[in-house]
Amino acid sequence: MTQEKTNVELNALATVNDPVIEIKELYKSFGTNEVLKGVNLTVKKGENLVILGKSGSGKSITIKCIVGLMGIDKGEIKVFGSDITKMDNSELNKIRVRIGFLFQNAALYDSMSVRENLGFTLMRHAKDLTAEEVENQIKEILESVGLSEAIDKMPSELSGGMRKRIGLARTLILKPEIILYDEPTTGLDTITSREISELVLEIQKKYKTSSIIITHDMACAKHTSDRLMILKDGVIHAEGTYDELEKSDDEWVRSFFI
Amino acid sequence: MSNTLTAKKESIISYLKETFNDVGNVTLFAFRFFKEVIKPPYEMKEFIKQCYVIGYKSLPLVTITGFIMGLVLTLQSRPTLAKFGAESWLPSMVALSLIREIAPVITALICAGKVSSGIGAELGSMKVTEQIDAMEVSAINPYKYLVVTRILATTLMIPLLVIYADGIGVIGGYIGINIHSDVNFHRYLAQVLESITFLDIFPATIKTFFFGFFIGMIGCYKGFNAANGTESVGKAANSAVVTASLTIFIIDMLAVQITDLFF
């Protein structure tokens, strides 16, 4: 355990070229339903990786495994060089504060205002901050997602696009190095989807984050991706840039781009 | 015929397996509470908020129920006692019945309906909308924040609500007596206090801590383990009420046996 902790600390000093996420031979099943049958993927520092696939292909499960929300059957998931599948909860939590996760429906805490949603996480991880510093950080993050005026609103008063932005703000408040987006534009109109996609790019530039973006929205995939992967039958079926996959010889791969 | 019997046997076995599995999971869930409750950080703000929600917000309901319990018990008992010429025992009988049995059980059942289902639905909806997952990925222990605070609050608040219901029930009893006769309140209260001993109050109060613990624990367990989909939120709330109510009766039965053994 001491060795693992030392590894975590050492890996914080990882060089720019090192992959931040490395998944090898990931298997996950639910009863007799084998969802992931040997997924291999790598995310480099500063890269936006988009994962495409049919509904139920295991895209969301893959990113949930990365943050330890789901256990795995077999395989290896290295985040910042440390295998999270072998960590206990306190070690995993040290990794989790460096990863942001945007849920499909933003998962804002219903009983808390926007200010409380953001402060709840921050105050538990930055205990040395004064109330004024917390307030300033909340305002700064809300400004960066363009929703300063929503600070006193309850989640029920927000539109779908606003919820996504506040969800992103809550994620950003801990200054994560990796962000995992679970269908960031689902359920939004074309204009708002475009705005969210632009926000994803802005965040990548401003905060130097690496990301995995799960999406069905090809406009979002085109706009945000440095690289794409397509999941089929529990494995990565195709990999490349948007342009490469759009011109793929595989008809099934091309069908995503029509 | 034999196929029908086999099918019935299999369904009984599967039901028993499911029940034992559930009991095992609830036990593990409860053990986790004792492990987490002593570990810092302590979520005092959330605990106080839950005490307010569970305790203070239940006061109107407990007031009405407690008053009606005392009033109805007096009115129903009066004719029987009158037959034996023992009407003067009415205050003592009402007070003892209320404090030893009726107020703890009825208040606990009311709270199982209000509090346990509320917790089940609240945590169930948080589970379904991934709010619990959101806490977990933010490296915040959702069990500590959501479950420990709620169980502690119910364990502390239910005994206080029962003591309050005892008092309101005694006042209800006084009004019930005065419908048919004219009794001075001081005399009534003196007779009530004279008839109650430490052994009436102590075991009855101890069992309410268990009622409170299980009301909170079952609500949290059902909500925390709700399946995906909005339907499961309703199921979690409903199942929390049914299980908590049944548990209250089982604890009450055990408490009576233990009280008989030791007091």
Side-chain angles (χ1 to χ4, degrees):
Chain A
M1 201 164 90
T2 320
Q3 185 59 44
E4 278 294 329
K5 267 183 192 163
T6 318
N7 286 345
V8 170
E9 281 153 18
L10 283 174
N11 289 323
L13 305 167
T15 57
V16 178
N17 294 324
D18 284 345
V20 285
I21 299 173
E22 256 184 301
I23 297 179
K24 283 180 190 162
E25 291 300 307
L26 177 62
Y27 285 81
K28 174 73 187 169
S29 56
F30 297 91
T32 52
N33 180 23
E34 291 179 357
V35 183
L36 304 178
K37 301 174 195 167
V39 168
N40 292 291
L41 68 83
T42 306
V43 181
K44 293 192 189 101
K45 194 166 171 62
E47 180 187 37
N48 274 358
L49 172 71
V50 168
I51 301 181
L52 300 170
K54 284 169 73 180
S55 297
S57 60
K59 305 181 297 293
S60 297
I61 289 165
T62 307
I63 57 168
K64 282 183 178 173
C65 289
I66 294 171
V67 284
L69 274 180
M70 279 182 183
I72 63 167
D73 298 339
K74 213 163 72 175
E76 191 180 86
I77 302 173
K78 280 190 175 173
V79 182
F80 305 119
S82 302
D83 190 352
I84 63 129
T85 60
K86 293 188 175 116
M87 288 178 180
D88 64 24
N89 219 36
S90 68
E91 286 167 343
L92 187 57
N93 280 344
K94 283 180 191 166
I95 296 287
R96 278 171 172 166
V97 291
R98 298 169 67 191
I99 306 175
F101 196 112
L102 180 68
F103 288 87
Q104 202 171 330
N105 295 310
L108 299 179
Y109 308 128
D110 286 338
S111 59
M112 299 181 197
S113 67
V114 169
R115 177 188 274 111
E116 288 164 336
N117 258 282
L118 270 63
F120 179 73
T121 317
L122 185 61
M123 284 190 288
R124 276 163 179 77
H125 294 295
K127 287 177 182 155
D128 49 339
L129 289 181
T130 63
E132 200 187 336
E133 286 169 331
V134 170
E135 181 72 10
N136 287 340
Q137 286 205 27
I138 292 171
K139 283 180 179 165
E140 189 191 315
I141 290 289
L142 281 176
E143 210 175 291
S144 71
V145 297
L147 277 178
S148 303
E149 74 284 0
I151 191 160
D152 289 316
K153 287 193 170 160
M154 295 300 285
S156 56
E157 296 172 275
L158 304 173
S159 67
M162 287 164 94
R163 289 175 73 91
K164 288 268 161 87
R165 282 168 182 268
I166 300 296
L168 251 179
R170 189 179 65 184
T171 299
L172 287 172
I173 203 143
L174 290 180
K175 310 267 189 303
E177 293 154 67
I178 298 171
I179 303 182
L180 308 173
Y181 298 89
D182 192 0
E183 303 194 21
T185 57
T186 298
L188 302 178
D189 61 87
T190 323
I191 297 166
T192 315
S193 294
R194 176 85 186 173
E195 285 170 1
I196 295 287
S197 301
E198 272 163 16
L199 191 58
V200 170
L201 279 181
E202 269 174 42
I203 286 165
Q204 185 197 17
K205 278 180 198 152
K206 190 173 175 185
Y207 297 96
K208 312 271 182 267
T209 54
S210 319
S211 310
I212 295 182
I213 303 152
I214 305 290
T215 190
H216 291 287
D217 176 0
M218 293 312 290
C220 170
K222 186 176 185 180
H223 201 65
T224 58
S225 66
D226 294 317
R227 200 156 50 98
L228 282 101
M229 281 183 174
I230 303 181
L231 254 177
K232 187 189 178 189
D233 300 327
V235 292
I236 299 294
H237 179 76
E239 182 184 345
T241 62
Y242 188 92
D243 291 336
E244 282 167 3
L245 292 183
E246 195 178 22
K247 291 166 195 152
S248 166
D249 297 334
D250 188 332
E251 199 181 326
W252 188 83
V253 170
R254 276 203 319 276
S255 67
F256 279 90
F257 298 83
I258 295 164
Chain B
M1 186 70 179
S2 122
N3 278 346
T4 322
L5 272 175
T6 318
K8 272 188 180 172
K9 205 172 132 188
E10 271 172 13
S11 86
I12 290 170
I13 289 170
S14 116
Y15 174 76
L16 284 175
K17 268 187 187 169
E18 228 170 78
T19 308
F20 282 121
N21 195 26
D22 233 15
V23 171
N25 286 335
V26 173
T27 312
L28 287 175
F29 195 78
F31 276 133
R32 192 174 168 195
F33 168 79
F34 292 109
K35 206 175 109 189
E36 301 274 6
V37 74
I38 50 171
K39 273 197 301 190
Y42 305 109
E43 301 283 357
M44 281 310 287
K45 205 175 154 193
E46 179 65 10
F47 168 66
I48 291 165
K49 184 186 160 194
Q50 288 308 320
C51 285
Y52 171 79
V53 172
I54 292 161
Y56 182 75
K57 293 244 173 177
S58 301
L59 278 179
L61 194 62
V62 173
T63 307
I64 295 166
T65 329
F67 180 79
I68 292 172
M69 273 191 299
L71 183 78
V72 170
L73 184 65
T74 310
L75 293 176
Q76 295 276 27
S77 310
R78 189 189 180 91
T80 316
L81 287 178
K83 260 188 202 169
F84 296 100
E87 254 181 297
S88 61
W89 286 10
L90 201 51
S92 310
M93 199 217 75
V94 168
L96 281 174
S97 310
L98 277 173
I99 290 165
R100 290 184 77 135
E101 188 60 32
I102 297 172
V105 172
I106 301 287
T107 309
L109 287 174
I110 292 287
C111 290
K114 183 184 180 287
V115 178
S116 204
S117 68
I119 293 173
E122 186 192 9
L123 298 197
S125 90
M126 285 185 80
K127 177 84 189 292
V128 168
T129 54
E130 296 178 307
Q131 292 175 53
I132 291 179
D133 286 346
M135 275 187 199
E136 199 138 9
V137 295
S138 309
I140 295 165
N141 184 346
Y143 190 97
K144 199 159 185 64
Y145 182 77
L146 298 170
V147 177
V148 171
T149 51
R150 278 160 180 77
I151 296 180
L152 277 180
T154 52
T155 310
L156 185 71
M157 286 297 120
I158 303 298
L160 293 178
L161 286 172
V162 169
I163 291 167
Y164 174 74
D166 287 343
I168 295 291
V170 168
I171 293 170
Y174 170 72
I175 290 168
I177 286 174
N178 272 276
I179 289 174
H180 294 288
S181 54
D182 189 19
V183 178
N184 179 291
F185 183 71
H186 290 290
R187 236 179 104 187
Y188 170 78
L189 197 63
Q191 202 179 334
V192 165
L193 294 175
E194 209 174 277
S195 60
I196 301 165
T197 65
F198 174 74
L199 291 181
D200 296 316
I201 299 170
F202 184 69
T205 309
I206 294 294
K207 75 179 172 188
T208 58
F209 282 99
F210 286 93
F211 288 165
F213 175 79
F214 280 98
I215 285 171
M217 215 259 300
I218 290 164
C220 287
Y221 173 77
K222 295 291 179 185
F224 216 72
N225 291 292
N228 285 332
T230 44
E231 192 194 356
S232 61
V233 178
K235 273 187 185 168
N238 181 267
S239 170
V241 180
V242 174
T243 316
S245 305
L246 194 66
T247 311
I248 286 163
F249 284 114
I250 293 169
I251 294 169
D252 193 45
M253 185 188 72
L254 292 173
V256 168
Q257 302 294 326
I258 293 167
T259 310
D260 275 356
L261 270 177
F262 292 102
F263 302 105

